[in-house]
């Protein structure tokens, strides 16, 4: 819903950004423009657990801690009015510019009801070495070094990159209940 509004107009409209760095992991930003990703409500609904108030509104536009009511209603934007502005920007660029469905026009990705969602995407690729002296990734590394030197600061995406490296080395641990659910779906 737009900030201050009640009607579900925008999608969770993720923004993703990746930036190469001369050494080390790239910077990776992947954020939903709702306060939390819709998947968090879905997971809480599956577990029968409440969600914090401030994540979603029910179908009447009232704040709710019931994830099922939130899924039937709408998500609250990240960053309040500023998040709404970003969500609107993404809707206009990815749906309006592309001639695709706005989120409120699209069918759900969560079930098989209705026609294909017909959502749009916008991809913008820039060669960083085409600018300035051709040393952009080294300049990016300078900024990253400043973040790393600030005790407690984190570089976006690095935690996930480190986790990925660890999982590739050690393997992935999966709850037995999830394996059982998957086997039940596949009939094995």
């Amino acid at each position: 819903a737009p900030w201050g509004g009640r009607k579900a107009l925008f999608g969770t409209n993720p923004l993703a950004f990746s930036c190469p760095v001369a050494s080390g992991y790239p910077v990776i930003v992947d954020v939903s423009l709702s306060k939390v990703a819709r998947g968090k409500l879905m997971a809480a609904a599956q577990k029968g657990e409440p969600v914090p108030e401030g994540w979603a509104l029910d179908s009447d536009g009232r704040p709710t801690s019931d994830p099922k009511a939130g899924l039937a209603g709408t998500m609250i934007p990240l960053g309040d009015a500023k998040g709404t502005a970003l969500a609107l920007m993404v809707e206009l660029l990815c749906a309006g510019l592309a001639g695709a469905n706005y989120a409120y026009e699209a069918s759900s990705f969560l079930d098989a009801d209705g026609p294909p969602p017909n959502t749009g995407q916008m991809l913008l690729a820039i060669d960083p070495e085409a600018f300035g002296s051709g040393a952009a990734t080294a300049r990016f590394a300078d900024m990253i070094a400043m973040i790393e030197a600030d005790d407690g600061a984190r570089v976006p995406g690095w935690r996930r990159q480190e986790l990925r490296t660890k999982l590739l080395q050690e393997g992935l641990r999966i709850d037995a209940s999830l394996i059982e659910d998957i086997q039940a779906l596949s009939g094995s």
Side-chain angles (χ1 to χ4, degrees):
W3 182 245
R6 297 173 172 218
K7 185 175 183 178
L9 292 179
F10 307 133
T12 55
N13 292 353
L15 287 176
F17 169 85
S18 181
C19 180
V21 177
S23 59
Y25 296 124
V27 173
I28 299 173
V29 176
D30 182 7
V31 296
S32 165
L33 293 179
S34 54
K35 243 181 208 169
V36 297
R38 191 170 174 86
K40 290 194 182 236
L41 267 72
M42 294 169 61
Q46 286 177 338
K47 294 177 183 175
E49 298 174 353
V51 296
E53 209 164 283
W55 282 13
L57 303 175
D58 67 16
S59 59
D60 293 321
R62 294 182 307 246
T64 184
S65 59
D66 177 351
K68 290 181 181 178
L71 289 168
T74 186
M75 307 294 294
I76 292 177
L78 170 77
D80 306 329
K82 291 179 181 183
T84 293
L86 285 172
L88 176 59
M89 179 188 78
V90 171
E91 289 282 345
L92 295 175
L93 289 172
C94 296
L97 187 64
N101 282 338
Y102 289 116
Y104 71 87
E105 298 170 316
S107 61
S108 176
F109 284 102
L110 306 177
D111 56 45
D113 296 339
N118 190 32
T119 58
Q121 296 181 1
M122 180 184 175
L123 305 174
L124 175 64
I126 300 171
D127 178 359
E129 297 305 333
F131 292 85
S133 64
T137 59
R139 288 283 296 142
F140 298 158
D142 292 343
M143 174 61 84
I144 300 312
M146 293 300 292
I147 295 170
E148 287 183 293
D150 189 356
D151 191 35
R154 293 185 342 178
V155 177
W158 280 22
R159 185 173 51 92
R160 287 186 180 177
Q161 290 289 335
E162 290 165 356
L163 178 60
R164 179 181 187 273
T165 300
K166 180 181 175 187
L167 291 174
L168 286 171
Q169 292 170 352
E170 299 175 11
L172 181 64
R173 297 180 197 272
I174 300 174
D175 290 340
S177 63
L178 178 58
I179 293 172
E180 290 169 7
D181 289 346
I182 292 169
Q183 288 173 334
L185 289 172
S186 66
S188 49

